[in-house]
Amino acid sequence: MTVWVGTSWKMNKSLAEAERYAEDLLRGLGGMELGAVRPFIIPPATALSTVAEVLGSGSGVLLGAQNAHWEDHGAWTGEVSVPQVADAGAQLVELGHSERREHFGETDETVRLKVAAALRHGLTPLLCIGEPAAVRDAGGSAGFILDQAARALHGLTPGQLSRVLIAYEPVWAIGAAGRPAAPEELHGPFAALASAYGQQVAGLLYGGSVNEENAAALLGIPHVDGLFIGRAAWQADGYLRLLETAARTAALRHRAGSAPTTTS
């Protein structure tokens, strides 16, 4: 099973800072055995081609864009298209993040159009879903995120769905004001997602105040196939330590799963 571990830099890093991060990451990965772990990084659009050039094609690191329009070209001032981010080196597109929904008017319908555009051009959509605190407190987390996912993925064929990553990022757990989720708070949402999509999508990821202290525990939650990390991975050394943690956890899980069963 692939364990996805990635980070989005949001609106951070100059070209020089992005280049330095990519160089440090490449150096650190040179002596690391990742096993089943698949790393990905999502720089701002301005740094995509720079980071792509540093990483090259043999690094094993997927490169992503933080957003892309659903149209291939046209009079969409300030936007970038899926073909444009692909041309700059992106292989993955982050879509539907709660910040985009809250501050830029994204809807389930526009997210659906963007997911379809990414798939149309051979990129991996990373669909972000998550509920606000009021929904969690009312006990509606599972229903809310399943509805978000269903609307964004409506109309996809099984083959298309198999190329989608879903990142569950509860709104109350992300950002500077977010609080880390306790593992028991995530069991229900991930059980619901696994029941609906676990055998159909490429992976179910968790994101929200992930750090070096809680990464292993989060990866131990049933149905969690990876982590989508924020601030804790904005420096290359922090990201590399998290990749090491993920690789160790994945190896232990594999050994436990493949151990022979004994009877007395």
Side-chain angles (χ1 to χ4, degrees), residues 74-79:
W76 300 96
T77 302
E79 291 288 328

Side-chain angles (χ1 to χ4, degrees), residues 3-9 21 25 38-42 60-64 92 126 165 167 205 226-229 239 243:
V3 179
W4 305 86
V5 180
T7 180
S8 173
W9 299 350
Y21 183 110
L25 176 60
R38 186 68 189 272
F40 64 91
I41 59 174
I42 308 181
V61 180
L62 282 179
L63 187 62
L92 174 151
L126 174 62
L165 292 169
L205 284 61
L227 301 173
F228 191 26
I229 308 161
Y239 182 41
L243 288 173

Side-chain angles (χ1 to χ4, degrees), residues 2 4 18 21 33 84 91 102 110 112 118-119 132 134 140 152 159 193 196 198 207 217 224 236 240 242 249 260:
T2 301
W4 305 86
Y21 183 110
E33 179 53 59
Q84 285 175 321
Q91 302 152 288
E102 179 182 0
T110 58
R112 183 189 69 80
L119 290 167
L193 286 170
V224 172
L240 286 163
L242 283 157
T249 304

Side-chain angles (χ1 to χ4, degrees), residues 25 47 49 114 125-126 141 144 154 157 161 191 245:
L25 176 60
S49 58
K114 292 179 177 190
L126 174 62
S141 296
F144 186 95
H154 178 71
T157 66
L161 200 56
T245 296

Side-chain angles (χ1 to χ4, degrees), residues 129-131 141 145 166-170 172 186 189-190 193 205-207:
I129 57 174
E131 83 284 11
S141 296
I145 61 175
I166 298 178
Y168 170 50
E169 294 194 298
W172 47 269
L186 303 179
F190 271 98
L193 286 170
L205 284 61
Y206 174 72

